């Protein structure tokens, strides 16, 4: 009987050891899976950063290659000169105003792209404030130019009206 007990104990012992090994194997598999997921997440993040950097550089290159005479909104001297000159212009011809406003909207889009896509580590607080202030100034100037052009149209509306159609 002692042999039977000893055999049963060893079988119970074997089952316990087998269960412990199975648990250990499952824990190792889980750890390996978590490590693989973490490595994949790090790789994806690194790839995303590389892609963002590539897009920023491509945007800068596109701006350089445009050569259209429009100011670079990220250069304070250029954008301030543009704003000052545009503010002093008294042209109220609606087509000219609309084309200037279209350019201003493009400059605003560029600044918003810079604010949204440039990592905060690469933009200092002074630049962020400058870009936001420039956006507000351009928006205000667009509004002002639209108002002046509309006022001019309304001043001359009776002269521009077709007498036959009213």
């Amino acid at each position: 009987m002692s042999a039977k007990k000893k055999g049963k104990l060893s079988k119970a012992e074997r089952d316990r050891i087998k269960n412990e090994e199975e648990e250990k194997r499952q824990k190792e598999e889980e750890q390996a899976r978590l490590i693989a997921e973490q490595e994949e997440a790090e790789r994806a993040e690194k790839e995303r950063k590389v892609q963002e950097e590539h897009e920023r550089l491509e945007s800068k290159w596109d701006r350089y290659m445009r050569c259209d005479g429009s100011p670079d909104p990220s250069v304070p001297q250029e954008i301030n000169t543009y704003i000052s000159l545009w503010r002093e212009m008294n042209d109220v011809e609606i087509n000219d105003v609309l084309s200037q406003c279209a350019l201003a909207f493009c400059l605003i889009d560029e600044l918003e792209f810079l604010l949204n896509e440039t990592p905060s580590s690469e933009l200092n607080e002074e630049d962020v404030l400058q870009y936001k202030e420039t956006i507000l100034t351009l928006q205000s100037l667009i509004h002002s130019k639209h108002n002046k052009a509309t006022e001019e149209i309304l001043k001359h509306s009776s002269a521009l009206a077709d007498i036959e159609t009213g």
Side-chain angles (χ1 to χ4, degrees), residues 3 33 42 50 74 97 100 103 109-110 115 125 146 149:
R33 185 187 64 77
E42 289 172 358
V50 167
S74 65
V97 169
Q100 286 294 322
L103 174 59
D109 288 343
E110 282 186 59
L115 287 171
E125 228 12 72
H146 278 164

Side-chain angles (χ1 to χ4, degrees), residues 4-152:
K4 282 186 175 180
K5 284 184 181 179
K6 192 174 184 183
K8 286 183 180 178
L9 283 176
S10 70
K11 182 173 178 168
E13 187 68 25
R14 280 189 302 224
D15 287 344
R16 185 182 63 77
I17 291 172
K18 185 178 178 181
N19 286 342
E20 286 176 0
E21 287 175 356
E22 180 65 23
E23 288 176 10
K24 184 179 176 183
R25 185 186 61 75
Q26 288 177 349
K27 285 181 182 178
E28 288 173 353
E29 286 176 358
E30 180 66 17
Q31 284 178 338
R33 185 187 64 77
L34 289 174
I35 289 171
E37 285 179 2
Q38 184 179 8
E39 288 173 352
E40 176 64 23
E42 289 172 358
R43 185 195 60 74
E45 178 67 15
K46 188 182 239 184
E47 191 174 292
R48 183 188 62 78
K49 286 181 179 180
V50 167
Q51 180 65 25
E52 286 178 355
E53 180 65 20
H54 176 72
E55 288 175 6
R56 273 194 309 281
L57 291 174
E58 190 173 310
S59 175
K60 284 182 180 179
W61 180 251
D62 289 345
R63 169 126 227 7
Y64 177 76
M65 292 302 292
R66 196 174 318 151
C67 296
D68 61 357
S70 65
D72 185 346
S74 65
V75 178
Q77 295 84 353
E78 288 184 30
I79 194 66
N80 288 339
T81 300
Y82 171 78
I83 289 171
S84 295
L85 291 174
W86 191 31
R87 187 175 280 137
E88 292 172 4
M89 286 177 70
N90 291 325
D91 191 9
V92 289
E93 165 37 50
I94 190 68
N95 291 326
D96 294 337
V97 169
L98 291 177
S99 66
Q100 286 294 322
C101 288
L103 174 59
F105 280 122
C106 289
L107 297 173
I108 289 171
D109 288 343
E110 282 186 59
L111 287 170
E112 287 175 344
F113 176 80
L114 286 170
L115 287 171
N116 295 330
E117 300 301 323
T118 304
S120 57
S121 61
E122 292 181 21
L123 262 180
N124 61 39
E125 228 12 72
E126 186 179 308
D127 289 340
V128 170
L129 291 174
Q130 172 70 35
Y131 294 168
K132 288 181 178 180
E133 183 180 323
T134 300
I135 289 171
L136 291 175
T137 302
L138 285 170
Q139 289 172 337
S140 173
L141 199 50
I142 289 169
H143 184 72
S144 171
K145 293 293 182 172
H146 278 164
N147 283 342
K148 287 180 182 176
T150 302
E151 179 183 344
E152 192 65 24

